Amino acid sequence: MKLNELLLQRSENKCELCQATEPLNVYEVPPQSSSDQDNCIMICDTCQLQVEKKAELNSEHWRCLSDSMWSEIPGVQIVSWRMLNRLKSESWAADNLDMIYLNDEALAWAKATGDHDNDAAVELHRDCNNATLQNGDAVVLIKSLDVKGSTLNAKMGTVVKNIRLVEDNTEQIEGKIEGQLIVILTKYVRKQS
């Protein structure tokens, strides 16, 4: 039986964190050298985006951790512990964090990524109007830009389709203008509706 099928069977076709039945994904709890039933869990899109810091953390959504933290599945325990740490400013999360127990090996795994040290703040790519940008979005330039190393001048109002987010810098996106791939600062674009 494939890992995906095993996890779906174990989770009863529900997110192992919040019990949602929306589309589920296999989440490999980092760090790991090989995927197996203990270090992978089934989670919904909502949980995955927030765990991976690709969406704002919704503390109300994570009240589900009060139940999932008691799971016997190591991967679920680890993700629950990490998320409770990110939410520890909430009284309910701090209380749960005091109750959750991880053995020494699991605690070392949970701390390995350093994610537990981070607060609930999420750095997202945002346009000039503070709208969240995603890969594949279309944006409009709000200022004419000279492209460094080129004679190209990107005019105000130019639409840049199918943008890509620059992974390590939330102030930059990549897009093609006149067939040339350029890096654009997010403060000079507006998301096209």
Side-chain angles (χ1 to χ4, degrees):
M1 199 180 267
K2 292 182 179 176
L3 180 63
N4 189 40
E5 293 168 359
L6 288 169
L7 295 178
L8 279 171
Q9 184 178 5
R10 177 182 78 193
S11 68
E12 298 175 353
N13 294 318
K14 295 178 186 169
C15 174
E16 293 186 274
L17 296 173
C18 73
Q19 303 300 305
T21 56
E22 63 185 70
L24 301 172
N25 313 300
V26 174
Y27 177 69
E28 298 177 355
V29 182
Q32 59 178 261
S33 54
S34 63
S35 302
D36 63 38
Q37 288 186 82
D38 288 339
N39 60 16
C40 292
I41 62 174
M42 261 310 169
I43 62 176
C44 65
D45 290 340
T46 303
C47 286
Q48 186 166 2
L49 288 171
Q50 293 181 46
V51 165
E52 294 178 342
K53 296 184 176 183
K54 294 179 179 172
E56 297 276 350
L57 202 55
N58 176 350
S59 64
E60 287 304 310
H61 174 80
W62 290 105
R63 287 187 176 266
C64 61
L65 294 174
S66 299
D67 294 325
S68 60
M69 69 182 216
W70 300 110
S71 173
E72 293 181 13
I73 299 153
V76 175
Q77 294 172 356
I78 301 306
V79 173
S80 296
W81 186 87
R82 288 176 181 167
M83 296 308 292
L84 285 170
N85 268 282
R86 284 177 51 195
L87 292 160
K88 64 186 167 202
S89 63
E90 302 276 339
S91 61
W92 64 267
D95 290 344
N96 284 336
L97 204 49
D98 288 340
M99 288 187 285
I100 194 170
Y101 171 78
L102 297 179
N103 63 34
D104 292 341
E105 185 180 324
L107 190 58
W109 178 19
K111 290 181 176 180
T113 60
D115 189 40
H116 67 286
D117 291 332
N118 299 325
D119 60 8
V122 177
E123 296 285 322
L124 298 172
H125 288 74
R126 298 193 182 275
D127 72 359
C128 65
N129 295 326
N130 210 27
T132 304
L133 298 172
Q134 301 288 335
N135 281 319
D137 282 348
V139 296
V140 178
L141 297 180
I142 62 163
K143 175 182 178 181
S144 293
L145 305 171
D146 290 323
V147 179
K148 291 182 181 176
S150 168
T151 58
L152 180 66
N153 179 287
K155 302 278 186 218
M156 181 172 81
T158 300
V159 176
V160 182
K161 295 181 180 179
N162 201 21
I163 63 165
R164 284 196 339 232
L165 306 179
V166 174
E167 285 272 334
D168 300 331
N169 189 337
T170 58
E171 296 178 4
Q172 296 178 343
I173 58 171
E174 293 179 337
K176 283 189 176 182
I177 296 180
E178 294 182 21
Q180 186 173 346
L181 183 65
I182 63 169
V183 174
I184 308 165
L185 296 178
T186 56
K187 65 183 178 183
Y188 297 133
V189 299
R190 173 180 48 83
K191 186 174 183 173
Q192 190 176 39
S193 355

